Amino acid sequence: MSAPPRSRAQRRDDTEHRLAHDIDVWVASACTEGAPYLVPLSFDRDGEALWVATPADSPTGRNLTATGTARLALGTSRDVTMIEGAVQTFEIDEPPSGQADRIAARTDFDPREQSAPYNWFRIVPHRIQVWRESNELRGRDLMRESVWLD
């Protein structure tokens, strides 16, 4: 038997905890013709957005730059956080002061040290959905149009 559904406030607390403590996120993107691509990437959150890095010429790098959108997934299929967002692309030396160092320290990976040219991608959530079991499908939207719901 599944646990009773969590309140919206508890789901948001759980989501904030996951965003603060998880290191990796699944990043789904698609090319302009629609072919999907899915990869795990390390991430950091600046309070408003999630930052990831990947080679500029990888399928994910090209897709994120071309379409400016991504869908992210944290957790397991029985405790999932889905994030849809707008993507901003930054050259490897362009993030705000200290952001690249913070990401490298948190994820134990520094794309600035790689031989292939990497880009940073800042993903600003505009929709967040969270659910565990089917009894949490109702009310799974926690954010719409970049605004947390009460």
Side-chain angles (χ1 to χ4, degrees), residues 50-85:
L50 287 81
W51 288 81
V52 298
T54 196
D57 197 34
S58 68
T60 300
R62 290 190 310 267
N63 293 348
L64 295 176
T65 299
T67 65
T69 61
R71 188 162 191 177
L72 313 176
L74 292 163
T76 67
S77 60
R78 297 237 176 215
D79 188 6
V80 68
T81 299
M82 299 293 296
I83 301 169
E84 296 174 12

Tab-separated table of all heavy atoms in Angstrom, residues 50-85:
chain	number	residue	atom	x	y	z
A	50	LEU	N	19.228	26.042	-12.770
A	50	LEU	CA	20.182	24.939	-12.700
A	50	LEU	C	21.237	25.148	-13.776
A	50	LEU	O	20.917	25.579	-14.890
A	50	LEU	CB	19.481	23.606	-12.938
A	50	LEU	CG	18.607	23.097	-11.791
A	50	LEU	CD1	17.254	23.771	-11.788
A	50	LEU	CD2	18.447	21.606	-11.887
A	51	TRP	N	22.487	24.867	-13.427
A	51	TRP	CA	23.618	24.987	-14.340
A	51	TRP	C	24.147	23.597	-14.660
A	51	TRP	O	24.350	22.783	-13.752
A	51	TRP	CB	24.738	25.789	-13.705
A	51	TRP	CG	24.469	27.246	-13.578
A	51	TRP	CD1	23.733	27.866	-12.604
A	51	TRP	CD2	24.943	28.278	-14.430
A	51	TRP	NE1	23.724	29.220	-12.809
A	51	TRP	CE2	24.463	29.511	-13.920
A	51	TRP	CE3	25.730	28.289	-15.582
A	51	TRP	CZ2	24.745	30.734	-14.523
A	51	TRP	CZ3	26.015	29.512	-16.186
A	51	TRP	CH2	25.527	30.715	-15.658
A	52	VAL	N	24.366	23.318	-15.945
A	52	VAL	CA	25.020	22.097	-16.393
A	52	VAL	C	26.079	22.498	-17.420
A	52	VAL	O	26.051	23.609	-17.958
A	52	VAL	CB	24.026	21.084	-17.014
A	52	VAL	CG1	22.985	20.630	-16.003
A	52	VAL	CG2	23.374	21.638	-18.269
A	53	ALA	N	26.999	21.584	-17.688
A	53	ALA	CA	28.005	21.811	-18.726
A	53	ALA	C	28.120	20.545	-19.553
A	53	ALA	O	28.010	19.432	-19.029
A	53	ALA	CB	29.354	22.157	-18.111
A	54	THR	N	28.314	20.730	-20.837
A	54	THR	CA	28.509	19.603	-21.749
A	54	THR	C	29.277	20.127	-22.955
A	54	THR	O	29.276	21.346	-23.203
A	54	THR	CB	27.152	18.967	-22.143
A	54	THR	OG1	27.374	17.681	-22.704
A	54	THR	CG2	26.359	19.837	-23.081
A	55	PRO	N	29.955	19.252	-23.698
A	55	PRO	CA	30.675	19.744	-24.870
A	55	PRO	C	29.758	20.528	-25.802
A	55	PRO	O	28.619	20.126	-26.069
A	55	PRO	CB	31.198	18.462	-25.530
A	55	PRO	CG	31.369	17.508	-24.395
A	55	PRO	CD	30.187	17.805	-23.486
A	56	ALA	N	30.282	21.631	-26.289
A	56	ALA	CA	29.486	22.506	-27.157
A	56	ALA	C	28.982	21.779	-28.394
A	56	ALA	O	27.870	22.040	-28.860
A	56	ALA	CB	30.314	23.720	-27.554
A	57	ASP	N	29.776	20.836	-28.923
A	57	ASP	CA	29.409	20.155	-30.153
A	57	ASP	C	28.763	18.783	-29.924
A	57	ASP	O	28.549	18.034	-30.867
A	57	ASP	CB	30.641	20.002	-31.059
A	57	ASP	CG	30.245	19.683	-32.492
A	57	ASP	OD1	29.187	20.177	-32.956
A	57	ASP	OD2	30.964	18.907	-33.145
A	58	SER	N	28.424	18.458	-28.679
A	58	SER	CA	27.721	17.202	-28.412
A	58	SER	C	26.258	17.353	-28.838
A	58	SER	O	25.768	18.475	-28.997
A	58	SER	CB	27.794	16.863	-26.923
A	58	SER	OG	27.022	17.796	-26.177
A	59	PRO	N	25.546	16.240	-29.027
A	59	PRO	CA	24.118	16.379	-29.361
A	59	PRO	C	23.361	17.230	-28.335
A	59	PRO	O	22.565	18.096	-28.713
A	59	PRO	CB	23.612	14.939	-29.374
A	59	PRO	CG	24.809	14.130	-29.749
A	59	PRO	CD	25.969	14.828	-29.062
A	60	THR	N	23.629	17.020	-27.055
A	60	THR	CA	22.941	17.820	-26.029
A	60	THR	C	23.316	19.281	-26.136
A	60	THR	O	22.452	20.163	-26.081
A	60	THR	CB	23.257	17.272	-24.629
A	60	THR	OG1	22.800	15.919	-24.561
A	60	THR	CG2	22.580	18.089	-23.547
A	61	GLY	N	24.605	19.573	-26.272
A	61	GLY	CA	25.048	20.966	-26.400
A	61	GLY	C	24.411	21.660	-27.595
A	61	GLY	O	23.931	22.789	-27.500
A	62	ARG	N	24.413	20.977	-28.727
A	62	ARG	CA	23.797	21.563	-29.930
A	62	ARG	C	22.300	21.758	-29.748
A	62	ARG	O	21.733	22.795	-30.122
A	62	ARG	CB	24.072	20.674	-31.151
A	62	ARG	CG	25.523	20.680	-31.590
A	62	ARG	CD	25.717	19.986	-32.942
A	62	ARG	NE	25.109	18.666	-33.024
A	62	ARG	CZ	25.738	17.520	-32.754
A	62	ARG	NH1	26.991	17.525	-32.366
A	62	ARG	NH2	25.108	16.362	-32.875
A	63	ASN	N	21.629	20.748	-29.166
A	63	ASN	CA	20.176	20.833	-28.975
A	63	ASN	C	19.791	21.970	-28.042
A	63	ASN	O	18.860	22.733	-28.319
A	63	ASN	CB	19.630	19.521	-28.417
A	63	ASN	CG	19.736	18.364	-29.383
A	63	ASN	OD1	20.014	18.540	-30.568
A	63	ASN	ND2	19.547	17.169	-28.869
A	64	LEU	N	20.474	22.064	-26.905
A	64	LEU	CA	20.143	23.108	-25.932
A	64	LEU	C	20.352	24.495	-26.523
A	64	LEU	O	19.531	25.399	-26.321
A	64	LEU	CB	20.975	22.939	-24.655
A	64	LEU	CG	20.719	21.669	-23.841
A	64	LEU	CD1	21.679	21.600	-22.653
A	64	LEU	CD2	19.273	21.572	-23.380
A	65	THR	N	21.428	24.654	-27.273
A	65	THR	CA	21.705	25.951	-27.897
A	65	THR	C	20.675	26.274	-28.975
A	65	THR	O	20.168	27.395	-29.049
A	65	THR	CB	23.120	25.963	-28.488
A	65	THR	OG1	24.069	25.762	-27.430
A	65	THR	CG2	23.431	27.274	-29.187
A	66	ALA	N	20.341	25.290	-29.799
A	66	ALA	CA	19.433	25.533	-30.933
A	66	ALA	C	18.000	25.793	-30.507
A	66	ALA	O	17.328	26.657	-31.063
A	66	ALA	CB	19.482	24.350	-31.903
A	67	THR	N	17.514	25.031	-29.516
A	67	THR	CA	16.095	25.142	-29.167
A	67	THR	C	15.833	26.029	-27.957
A	67	THR	O	14.729	26.543	-27.807
A	67	THR	CB	15.484	23.759	-28.878
A	67	THR	OG1	16.109	23.205	-27.718
A	67	THR	CG2	15.651	22.830	-30.072
A	68	GLY	N	16.821	26.163	-27.075
A	68	GLY	CA	16.631	26.986	-25.883
A	68	GLY	C	15.676	26.385	-24.864
A	68	GLY	O	15.156	27.097	-24.006
A	69	THR	N	15.439	25.062	-24.948
A	69	THR	CA	14.553	24.407	-23.988
A	69	THR	C	15.142	23.067	-23.558
A	69	THR	O	15.914	22.449	-24.294
A	69	THR	CB	13.146	24.143	-24.564
A	69	THR	OG1	13.269	23.275	-25.687
A	69	THR	CG2	12.460	25.431	-24.973
A	70	ALA	N	14.727	22.633	-22.373
A	70	ALA	CA	15.157	21.323	-21.863
A	70	ALA	C	14.113	20.805	-20.892
A	70	ALA	O	13.320	21.578	-20.338
A	70	ALA	CB	16.501	21.427	-21.153
A	71	ARG	N	14.159	19.517	-20.704
A	71	ARG	CA	13.353	18.867	-19.668
A	71	ARG	C	14.309	18.065	-18.812
A	71	ARG	O	15.147	17.318	-19.337
A	71	ARG	CB	12.286	17.974	-20.286
A	71	ARG	CG	11.330	17.462	-19.246
A	71	ARG	CD	10.067	16.956	-19.876
A	71	ARG	NE	9.113	16.740	-18.797
A	71	ARG	CZ	7.890	16.361	-18.974
A	71	ARG	NH1	7.421	16.194	-20.183
A	71	ARG	NH2	7.096	16.162	-17.952
A	72	LEU	N	14.223	18.235	-17.510
A	72	LEU	CA	15.127	17.598	-16.566
A	72	LEU	C	14.346	16.663	-15.661
A	72	LEU	O	13.177	16.914	-15.369
A	72	LEU	CB	15.822	18.648	-15.701
A	72	LEU	CG	16.411	19.861	-16.412
A	72	LEU	CD1	16.983	20.842	-15.405
A	72	LEU	CD2	17.468	19.439	-17.404
A	73	ALA	N	15.018	15.604	-15.196
A	73	ALA	CA	14.382	14.668	-14.270
A	73	ALA	C	15.354	14.343	-13.145
A	73	ALA	O	16.517	14.033	-13.387
A	73	ALA	CB	13.966	13.394	-14.982
A	74	LEU	N	14.840	14.427	-11.927
A	74	LEU	CA	15.571	14.044	-10.717
A	74	LEU	C	14.814	12.911	-10.055
A	74	LEU	O	13.583	12.868	-10.108
A	74	LEU	CB	15.641	15.217	-9.733
A	74	LEU	CG	16.478	16.416	-10.135
A	74	LEU	CD1	16.107	17.607	-9.282
A	74	LEU	CD2	17.946	16.092	-9.998
A	75	GLY	N	15.542	12.028	-9.387
A	75	GLY	CA	14.890	10.985	-8.610
A	75	GLY	C	14.624	9.731	-9.404
A	75	GLY	O	15.177	9.503	-10.474
A	76	THR	N	13.751	8.919	-8.841
A	76	THR	CA	13.393	7.637	-9.444
A	76	THR	C	11.986	7.728	-10.024
A	76	THR	O	11.270	8.711	-9.790
A	76	THR	CB	13.410	6.519	-8.382
A	76	THR	OG1	12.351	6.764	-7.447
A	76	THR	CG2	14.743	6.468	-7.649
A	77	SER	N	11.573	6.692	-10.712
A	77	SER	CA	10.239	6.714	-11.313
A	77	SER	C	9.130	6.686	-10.253
A	77	SER	O	7.988	7.012	-10.543
A	77	SER	CB	10.065	5.542	-12.279
A	77	SER	OG	10.220	4.320	-11.591
A	78	ARG	N	9.449	6.334	-9.028
A	78	ARG	CA	8.471	6.339	-7.928
A	78	ARG	C	8.682	7.507	-6.973
A	78	ARG	O	8.084	7.550	-5.904
A	78	ARG	CB	8.529	5.023	-7.174
A	78	ARG	CG	8.148	3.859	-8.042
A	78	ARG	CD	7.010	3.112	-7.473
A	78	ARG	NE	6.612	2.047	-8.382
A	78	ARG	CZ	5.365	1.695	-8.520
A	78	ARG	NH1	4.430	2.289	-7.833
A	78	ARG	NH2	5.049	0.733	-9.342
A	79	ASP	N	9.525	8.445	-7.372
A	79	ASP	CA	9.732	9.681	-6.599
A	79	ASP	C	10.435	10.665	-7.523
A	79	ASP	O	11.633	10.903	-7.424
A	79	ASP	CB	10.566	9.416	-5.346
A	79	ASP	CG	10.638	10.626	-4.421
A	79	ASP	OD1	9.938	11.632	-4.692
A	79	ASP	OD2	11.386	10.558	-3.441
A	80	VAL	N	9.668	11.211	-8.448
A	80	VAL	CA	10.239	11.976	-9.550
A	80	VAL	C	9.979	13.475	-9.411
A	80	VAL	O	8.943	13.893	-8.909
A	80	VAL	CB	9.703	11.460	-10.904
A	80	VAL	CG1	8.224	11.747	-11.061
A	80	VAL	CG2	10.478	12.021	-12.066
A	81	THR	N	10.964	14.235	-9.864
A	81	THR	CA	10.830	15.679	-10.033
A	81	THR	C	11.116	15.966	-11.497
A	81	THR	O	12.206	15.664	-11.986
A	81	THR	CB	11.832	16.443	-9.142
A	81	THR	OG1	11.565	16.132	-7.778
A	81	THR	CG2	11.724	17.944	-9.360
A	82	MET	N	10.140	16.513	-12.211
A	82	MET	CA	10.286	16.865	-13.623
A	82	MET	C	10.335	18.383	-13.730
A	82	MET	O	9.480	19.071	-13.164
A	82	MET	CB	9.100	16.345	-14.439
A	82	MET	CG	8.936	14.835	-14.404
A	82	MET	SD	10.256	13.940	-15.210
A	82	MET	CE	10.071	14.458	-16.878
A	83	ILE	N	11.323	18.883	-14.454
A	83	ILE	CA	11.530	20.327	-14.593
A	83	ILE	C	11.609	20.657	-16.074
A	83	ILE	O	12.428	20.088	-16.794
A	83	ILE	CB	12.828	20.767	-13.889
A	83	ILE	CG1	12.779	20.415	-12.405
A	83	ILE	CG2	13.074	22.260	-14.111
A	83	ILE	CD1	14.109	20.567	-11.692
A	84	GLU	N	10.771	21.566	-16.515
A	84	GLU	CA	10.855	22.089	-17.874
A	84	GLU	C	11.366	23.513	-17.766
A	84	GLU	O	10.932	24.261	-16.876
A	84	GLU	CB	9.489	22.085	-18.544
A	84	GLU	CG	8.931	20.701	-18.740
A	84	GLU	CD	7.507	20.705	-19.272
A	84	GLU	OE1	7.014	21.764	-19.715
A	84	GLU	OE2	6.880	19.644	-19.230
A	85	GLY	N	12.300	23.882	-18.656
A	85	GLY	CA	12.836	25.217	-18.525
A	85	GLY	C	13.417	25.790	-19.791
A	85	GLY	O	13.645	25.090	-20.783
